[in-house]
Amino acid sequence: MNIFEVATRKKFRFPFKGLVSVEDLWDLSVQNLDLVFKTLNSELKKTQEESLLNTKAKEDKELEQKVEIVKHIVNVKLEEENMRLKAKEQKEQKQKIMEILLAKQDETLYNKSVDELKAMLAELEG
């Protein structure tokens, strides 16, 4: 079963300024998600203390699932931010190339002789 399906069916709540739902996690910044992760991870470490009985409680499995959900959301958010930055860089590069292209076209016009410019002008007028 998908971890998000498990989370919604079991109505998981996450520790952040009280309790928040899975849906609310998507609205948090990566820094705030890191705080949620640290809290959950701390709880998980407490439950994973050495024991002679290697039994996992239901709560332990739930904590592990919560940690995985937070990790997944952080990874998605980081990837989306990376894609936004790449798109921005590409847009800026395209704009720079367009400006250089326009400057080169102007330079070509400036290098034409007076007669060539008059002929071009006559062609445009008539």
Side-chain angles (χ1 to χ4, degrees):
M1 194 181 311
N2 178 309
I3 57 174
F4 289 99
E5 184 179 343
V6 171
T8 54
R9 284 179 177 253
K10 293 185 178 182
K11 297 175 178 51
F12 282 179
R13 296 296 176 254
F14 298 80
F16 181 74
K17 296 182 181 179
L19 295 175
V20 296
S21 68
V22 178
E23 296 88 355
D24 296 328
L25 292 178
W26 290 101
D27 296 330
L28 298 179
S29 68
V30 175
Q31 292 78 15
N32 285 335
L33 285 167
D34 190 47
L35 294 174
V36 173
F37 171 79
K38 287 177 182 177
T39 302
L40 291 171
N41 206 32
S42 172
E43 289 178 36
L44 189 59
K45 284 180 181 177
K46 287 178 190 172
T47 64
Q48 292 177 340
E49 290 179 2
E50 279 192 47
S51 170
L52 293 175
L53 306 173
N54 270 342
T55 58
K56 279 194 171 187
K58 177 182 156 188
E59 294 79 18
D60 296 347
K61 184 169 173 90
E62 189 174 299
L63 270 174
E64 288 172 358
Q65 290 170 327
K66 287 180 178 181
V67 166
E68 288 307 310
I69 288 169
V70 173
K71 282 182 182 179
H72 176 79
I73 292 173
V74 167
N75 287 334
V76 168
K77 285 181 161 275
L78 291 174
E79 182 62 31
E80 288 173 347
E81 180 62 24
N82 191 20
M83 289 170 58
R84 274 191 296 276
L85 288 174
K86 281 183 181 177
K88 181 183 176 200
E89 287 173 6
Q90 286 178 338
K91 183 179 176 184
E92 288 172 356
Q93 184 69 10
K94 184 178 178 181
Q95 183 64 34
K96 191 174 188 178
I97 291 170
M98 293 295 289
E99 289 171 6
I100 293 170
L101 184 60
L102 288 172
K104 292 250 183 208
Q105 288 173 339
D106 286 347
E107 184 180 314
T108 303
L109 265 175
Y110 282 119
N111 290 332
K112 294 207 180 274
S113 69
V114 172
D115 291 335
E116 288 174 312
L117 289 170
K118 284 181 181 179
M120 288 174 67
L121 200 58
E123 193 177 301
L124 288 174
E125 292 175 351

